[in-house]
Amino acid sequence: MGNKKRKRDNTPRTKRMKKEGRKQSAVHWLPTYNGKSIIKGYSKRYAVDKYTALLELTELGVAIPKKTARSIREQRKRELQKGARRRAVDEEAGWPESDETYAYIAGYTSGGFAYGITWEERERFADQDSLDDTLPPAEEDEYWLYQHTEDDESLFATLPPLYNE
């Protein structure tokens, strides 16, 4: 058995950089940028969200219009509030542990992979529960009861006896 060859990472280096690496690279990249929105360009080049791009560009001393900065901060605030509402709903429903794939993580395999109920399954369960709530309660008259008739006597007469009497 020879040495195994390490699999090459196909993700561009600029998308794998940490904050300090991005900032060092951006110092050289900024003078060459010719696009309309420096925040959008930065977020695409370095694979970060617009809020992170805004913060890092302001740390580098790039002048960002106040209106643009305000709209990005408001958008970030809305996203955080949406996440907080979702977590609150999950806590009320009793969904203790979750991630982007699983709404409820039941456990982990020996290899470390999570298993449980996915978000899609949870939505189906919620839809089914809401359908069950809309159904009227069943009444006893709706159940079918077998009525014994004389025709049944001839049917039973042809059957062999179960017990010897």
Side-chain angles (χ1 to χ4, degrees):
M1 298 199 167
N3 292 336
K4 289 187 178 182
K5 199 171 190 182
R6 187 173 176 209
K7 189 174 181 179
R8 181 175 158 87
D9 191 0
N10 290 331
T11 306
R13 182 172 24 139
T14 56
K15 296 186 188 283
R16 290 182 279 138
M17 290 181 176
K18 303 245 185 273
K19 182 178 181 177
E20 291 305 315
R22 287 192 303 263
K23 287 170 60 176
Q24 287 177 2
S25 172
V27 169
H28 301 287
W29 172 75
L30 284 170
T32 65
Y33 182 72
N34 296 323
K36 291 181 182 177
S37 173
I38 190 75
I39 293 175
K40 186 175 181 180
Y42 187 93
S43 67
K44 280 188 169 188
R45 179 173 176 85
Y46 296 106
V48 295
D49 63 339
K50 290 183 180 177
Y51 183 74
T52 304
L54 172 71
L55 294 177
E56 292 179 8
L57 287 170
T58 53
E59 287 176 12
L60 290 170
V62 176
I64 307 291
K66 288 184 180 183
K67 184 178 178 183
T68 305
R70 188 179 320 114
S71 69
I72 291 173
R73 286 188 180 107
E74 287 173 358
Q75 180 181 358
R76 172 72 169 202
K77 187 176 179 181
R78 284 191 302 272
E79 289 171 359
L80 291 175
Q81 288 172 346
K82 182 179 178 184
R85 282 193 303 266
R86 184 176 182 180
R87 283 188 296 277
V89 167
D90 288 346
E91 288 173 8
E92 287 177 15
W95 298 94
E97 187 178 1
S98 63
D99 62 11
E100 63 275 353
T101 305
Y102 293 99
Y104 172 72
I105 298 175
Y108 295 90
T109 64
S110 59
F113 294 101
Y115 62 90
I117 298 174
T118 63
W119 288 105
E120 292 82 19
E121 290 172 332
R122 179 178 176 224
E123 292 299 322
R124 278 189 287 163
F125 292 145
D127 292 343
Q128 184 61 42
D129 289 343
S130 64
L131 285 175
D132 291 344
D133 292 341
T134 60
L135 293 174
E139 296 183 19
E140 292 182 31
D141 296 342
E142 293 181 16
Y143 293 108
W144 180 75
L145 297 174
Y146 180 74
Q147 299 293 325
H148 184 69
T149 62
E150 291 181 14
D151 294 334
D152 294 335
E153 294 297 327
S154 61
L155 176 68
F156 291 132
T158 60
L159 294 175
L162 295 175
Y163 302 103
N164 293 336
E165 293 181 15

